[in-house]
Amino acid sequence: MLSYIKIITKLLISACLFIVSTNVFAIGKIAIIIDDMGNNLHNQAFLELPKNVAFSILPFTPFSKKIAYSAHQQKREVLLHIPMQAHSHNHLLGEGALTSEMTKQEHQQKLSDALDEIPYAIGVNNHMGSQLTEDGVIMQWTMSLLYNQGLFFVDSFTSVQSVAETSAVAAGLPDLRRHVFLDNVRTPEAMEKQFQAAIQHSNKSPYTIIIAHSHPETLLYLSQRLATIDESYQLRPLKDLISIQERVILLLKKVQYYQQNLLPSDLSTVIIQ
């Protein structure tokens, strides 16, 4: 019981410090997620980017755990990049994919298994998923599991018909979705155009989320772009886009989940973000 009290105390202190130090909905907040991490050891080069850049890591890939551990050591945010069925090109999904043929039990077990593969994950976003994110029932299964584990979901928004964002909000999760894909075209000029679009969006919205990918061209561009002083936006971690009330709820759910699923001696592994 004493260990539980200590965890709750740390949670509340963290919440208070967050209120003092951060205006969550200040204009100009941009968060960046690097998708598709884990397949290539060269992905580790992205560790040179500012620590506010989050990594979204594919499950069951050769270097997923190594990259997750390294990112965590930097206090960088780690997400599970869960493969989800798309309208086409499903041969590219990879291991651990969620598909429409699964029952609720199969779906949630598969998602749980994928989460177990990515240590220190504090949230999830979809890899592909243009078909599955349009299914309200399946998205409800997804968000229910994440809510019970105190994890958030970022809708990669690979379909304009996606209901992932609204399903997350309905389940009590934060309202988070991608606004700009940085590197659909991997030239410096094209990526700069997308970055400028993100800055413009952030100046009229509570936040902007950029998704980029683990390409060498992307790394080169971001290394140079983020090293440049630019006062027209703030590069923030994803947690800074979440209201304090929602953060406290997620942290309480996470503690509750660990209490129910771990021995008391294991509670020290709970990461208070």
Side-chain angles (χ1 to χ4, degrees), residues 74-141:
Q74 295 182 320
K75 301 187 184 304
R76 185 187 300 274
E77 291 176 329
V78 173
L79 281 69
L80 163 67
H81 196 35
I82 186 66
M84 290 187 179
Q85 184 174 342
H87 285 298
S88 62
H89 300 93
N90 286 308
H91 63 285
L92 300 175
L93 282 172
E95 188 175 352
L98 305 177
T99 64
S100 59
E101 292 81 14
M102 294 176 179
T103 65
K104 178 180 180 180
Q105 182 178 359
E106 291 170 337
H107 176 94
Q108 293 188 330
Q109 184 60 58
K110 198 94 168 181
L111 179 54
S112 292
D113 291 344
L115 283 165
D116 289 342
E117 280 291 308
I118 307 299
Y120 307 112
I122 63 169
V124 176
N125 76 324
N126 52 293
H127 172 60
M128 300 174 63
S130 58
Q131 179 174 333
L132 213 66
T133 57
E134 294 177 352
D135 191 310
V137 173
I138 295 177
M139 287 300 97
Q140 190 276 327
W141 298 346

Side-chain angles (χ1 to χ4, degrees), residues 84 107-108 111 133 137-149 151-155 163-173:
M84 290 187 179
H107 176 94
Q108 293 188 330
L111 179 54
T133 57
V137 173
I138 295 177
M139 287 300 97
Q140 190 276 327
W141 298 346
T142 302
M143 305 312 165
S144 174
L145 184 143
L146 297 181
Y147 178 78
N148 288 333
Q149 295 193 24
L151 305 171
F152 60 79
F153 187 88
V154 179
D155 184 359
V163 296
E165 181 184 8
T166 55
S167 298
V169 173
L173 296 179

Side-chain angles (χ1 to χ4, degrees), residues 200-268:
Q200 292 175 19
H201 182 274
S202 74
N203 286 329
K204 59 184 179 182
S205 304
Y207 68 86
T208 299
I209 295 178
I210 296 174
I211 286 183
H213 300 84
S214 55
H215 304 303
E217 300 92 336
T218 302
L219 176 60
L220 178 60
Y221 170 78
L222 285 176
S223 296
Q224 297 172 348
R225 188 61 172 83
L226 299 181
T228 302
I229 297 175
D230 188 337
E231 296 182 352
S232 63
Y233 73 97
Q234 304 172 63
L235 179 63
R236 305 307 292 260
L238 290 163
K239 66 182 180 181
D240 282 6
L241 312 184
I242 301 173
S243 73
I244 186 60
Q245 295 89 348
E246 290 171 321
R247 287 188 67 193
V248 169
I249 289 170
L250 288 177
L251 288 168
L252 288 171
K253 293 299 293 186
K254 182 177 288 188
V255 171
Q256 182 181 39
Y257 174 77
Y258 273 74
Q259 287 177 349
Q260 295 171 347
N261 293 275
L262 295 179
L263 297 171
S265 60
D266 292 329
L267 283 171
S268 61

Side-chain angles (χ1 to χ4, degrees), residues 149-191:
Q149 295 193 24
L151 305 171
F152 60 79
F153 187 88
V154 179
D155 184 359
S156 299
F157 206 60
T158 54
S159 167
V160 295
Q161 303 298 324
S162 173
V163 296
E165 181 184 8
T166 55
S167 298
V169 173
L173 296 179
D175 183 359
L176 297 171
R177 83 162 176 90
R178 185 272 311 166
H179 301 98
V180 174
F181 277 126
L182 181 71
D183 51 1
N184 284 344
V185 179
R186 285 177 266 166
T187 64
E189 296 78 13
M191 287 187 277

